[in-house]
Amino acid sequence: MRDRAADFYVRSLNGQKLPERDYDAKVLPAKLKGLVAKYEIRMQDDEVIPLDLDMARRAFEAGRELLLDVGCYCIDTESTIAVSADEVDAALAAAPTSQTYGSGESAVECVGRGLEDSRRPLIKGGPNGRPITEENFIPIMTSVAKEDVDGPHTGTLQSVLGVPIRAHSPIEVLACKKEAIWAREAVAAAGKPGLSILGIMSGASSEAQDAGDFEGGLRREDPHLLVFLNELKFDYDLLKKLMHQKYMGCLIEANIGGPLHGGYAGAPETAAVVGIAEALLGFTVCASEDWSWYPQSLFTGATTSRESLWMTGMMLAAFRASGHEALFDIYMGPQAGPMTEMMCWEIAAEGIANTVCGASTIYGPCGAWMIKTDYYTGMEARMLIDVSRAAAGMSLADANDLLKGILPKYDDAIKAQSAPVGKPFRECYDVDAIEPLDEYVQLWDDQKRELRAVGFEIA
């Protein structure tokens, strides 16, 4: 399996030539439209998360058929590459159903949680690859590590030594090295040197991202990222990074695809089918420890809209209802920013939805449209931890009823793209003590009372 990257490189040279614009605008949409009709996949008016498990199983078959019929697309050769049923099925069957992250007192076990599972999902807080300044990198990452997280997810440095980062430059390599070093310093400052660190994010090229792997930086047993392109696409950078990680013996924990509702993937139903196919592709190409979805809406720039919650729930339910116990993770990106009531409601909604639908790990939350620099703190991870632990074991039906009461608290603002941006880290925290301001702690306490008032039994 170490040479799987080379295999897909060779296959890309012999793939069927197809202009990318035709793949995006013609081939993929036409196939998706036919599949959702064939398998009768429809988002119901009374659902925030999917309740029809027969439909979820049909969605899995639709995603599998999409991958087998369309294959994947290599942008470097502008060609489609076929994958066989045997290799897809074998890859999914071989996917781990549990994995230990971290070491010592910080070691945690991630499991393939089922629908309505009483076991809590892991929470990996942090900027999730979003922009972060070098001045605030260690304080923000320390604030995350000080919470009861199962590991921090790093952000993307905007400069190093005051020099803006440029792709394919020496400063890009340095940024990735500094990201790894400073993340290691942050978990040590929090008194948790054994926490697993998820990265590297500060470089665009595979060479720069691989530069984060060294003694004192990212460890082999730390989760490593491999990111596919939208939709069902990859490039040679992914293959180069995959080859490096396999030969280094690295843990490929975040094998990522981001189905985009409103883009070429279309409606929530078709986007969910694409997401299912992307997960199957990821296991097939990378033989990774898990698959992570970064679902997003082109219309809202968030993962917390009603359509996005249903889409994500359907992707998870498709695998869980079909009996697959592989590790599936979700990136969370609220539209509102830190220290706002709206962000609290968004975290509650998606935390409940992802937990009951069987997410193994939830990343974030990363708010403020996931684009604002330094708009992340450890408090958001604290909120998600509280929500996910309270939601573990809840039934799909009860969760759906609860979500129908929570969604109106913020959905109009989501649709209008009028969410409050909130405050940056230094206006939310005592930076010297790396502790949240009393105002922020009180906001969450007040919001938990509001959540209890709508029927959510949160501690």
Side-chain angles (χ1 to χ4, degrees):
M1 294 305 295
R2 292 193 305 178
D3 295 327
R4 193 66 165 161
D7 174 46
F8 270 82
Y9 166 70
V10 173
R11 290 160 73 167
S12 75
L13 299 176
N14 301 310
Q16 183 177 351
K17 294 296 181 180
L18 178 69
E20 188 173 6
R21 63 181 179 276
D22 289 344
Y23 173 83
D24 286 336
K26 297 178 181 179
V27 174
L28 186 64
K31 184 62 181 177
L32 283 169
K33 183 178 179 180
L35 285 170
V36 295
K38 174 183 176 180
Y39 287 97
E40 299 180 335
I41 303 166
R42 292 289 182 270
M43 181 178 174
Q44 304 301 315
D45 291 340
D46 62 343
E47 289 183 350
V48 181
I49 53 175
L51 302 179
D52 185 342
L53 298 187
D54 285 336
M55 185 189 296
R57 285 184 279 269
R58 296 197 302 271
F60 175 83
E61 293 302 327
R64 181 176 179 276
E65 183 173 327
L66 174 65
L67 179 58
L68 296 181
D69 283 1
V70 174
C72 54
Y73 191 87
C74 177
I75 66 171
D76 292 286
T77 59
E78 290 196 307
S79 63
T80 57
I81 302 168
V83 293
S84 71
D86 286 345
E87 63 182 334
V88 170
D89 295 343
L92 182 57
T97 59
S98 67
Q99 179 66 51
T100 299
Y101 302 129
S103 60
E105 294 181 354
S106 297
V108 292
E109 184 182 21
C110 183
V111 297
R113 298 177 62 255
L115 296 162
E116 306 175 343
D117 203 313
S118 61
R119 296 171 294 181
R120 70 173 183 89
L122 300 189
I123 304 299
K124 295 191 176 180
N128 287 2
R130 301 306 95 194
I132 187 170
T133 59
E134 54 185 309
E135 174 191 16
N136 289 316
F137 188 95
I138 292 178
I140 288 175
M141 297 305 298
T142 302
S143 80
V144 173
K146 289 180 74 171
E147 299 296 332
D148 193 17
V149 295
D150 301 294
H153 191 317
T154 60
T156 301
L157 286 164
Q158 302 302 286
S159 65
V160 174
L161 306 180
V163 181
I165 296 169
R166 295 179 59 188
H168 307 286
S169 70
I171 203 69
E172 181 194 35
V173 173
L174 179 61
C176 292
K177 290 190 176 294
K178 291 294 189 182
E179 176 190 330
I181 291 170
W182 291 343
R184 186 69 57 208
E185 290 180 9
V187 296
K192 302 175 183 178
L195 274 179
S196 66
I197 296 170
L198 180 55
I200 292 292
M201 303 303 304
S202 297
S205 67
S206 58
E207 292 86 354
Q209 292 172 21
D210 291 341
D213 297 327
F214 62 95
E215 187 68 28
L218 219 62
R219 301 168 295 198
R220 286 185 176 89
E221 62 270 22
D222 282 323
H224 288 61
L225 295 163
L226 281 170
V227 183
F228 283 79
L229 307 174
N230 297 84
E231 305 284 352
L232 287 172
K233 298 178 186 177
F234 70 91
D235 59 10
Y236 284 170
D237 255 3
L238 180 139
L239 295 182
K240 288 188 290 184
K241 191 174 181 186
L242 173 62
M243 189 176 296
H244 164 81
Q245 291 179 0
K246 288 295 185 182
Y247 273 85
M248 286 285 290
C250 297
L251 183 66
I252 304 175
E253 187 254 335
N255 191 16
I256 303 168
L260 183 62
H261 162 230
Y264 292 117
E269 298 91 341
T270 46
V273 171
V274 168
I276 294 161
E278 288 174 340
L280 292 170
L281 175 65
F283 285 119
T284 302
V285 174
C286 301
S288 60
E289 277 66 37
D290 83 337
W291 175 263
S292 300
W293 281 296
Y294 176 37
Q296 195 173 355
S297 170
L298 183 66
F299 303 116
T300 66
T303 65
T304 52
S305 68
R306 179 174 180 268
E307 293 80 7
S308 294
L309 294 180
W310 186 91
M311 176 181 75
T312 304
M314 179 55 79
M315 293 187 298
L316 286 165
F319 283 91
R320 300 314 190 203
S322 300
H324 299 294
E325 299 179 2
L327 308 181
F328 291 102
D329 310 330
I330 304 295
Y331 278 82
M332 182 187 291
Q335 195 182 89
M339 210 183 284
T340 64
E341 291 183 4
M342 180 172 165
M343 190 182 197
C344 296
W345 288 114
E346 289 183 85
I347 290 172
E350 188 168 1
I352 292 167
N354 292 346
T355 298
V356 300
C357 289
S360 299
T361 303
I362 308 174
Y363 301 137
C366 175
W369 281 273
M370 297 176 282
I371 59 173
K372 295 284 288 183
T373 302
D374 291 344
Y375 274 67
Y376 333 101
T377 83
M379 266 300 295
E380 294 89 71
R382 182 185 302 185
M383 296 174 190
L384 181 53
I385 291 166
D386 290 346
V387 169
S388 61
R389 289 179 177 174
M394 184 180 294
S395 72
L396 290 169
D398 287 348
N400 189 64
D401 288 342
L402 181 58
L403 289 167
K404 287 192 290 185
I406 293 175
L407 203 63
K409 302 290 185 180
Y410 69 84
D411 203 39
D412 286 345
I414 282 273
K415 292 173 182 176
Q417 298 195 51
S418 61
V421 71
K423 297 181 179 181
F425 173 74
R426 287 180 177 266
E427 295 180 28
C428 297
Y429 264 64
D430 177 331
V431 180
D432 293 329
I434 314 293
E435 292 291 341
L437 298 177
D438 292 342
E439 175 188 354
Y440 203 179
V441 176
Q442 187 61 53
L443 172 66
W444 180 230
D445 287 340
D446 292 343
Q447 288 304 113
K448 285 194 289 185
R449 282 193 290 272
E450 293 290 329
L451 285 166
R452 294 184 198 109
V454 298
F456 186 36
E457 298 180 4
I458 184 170

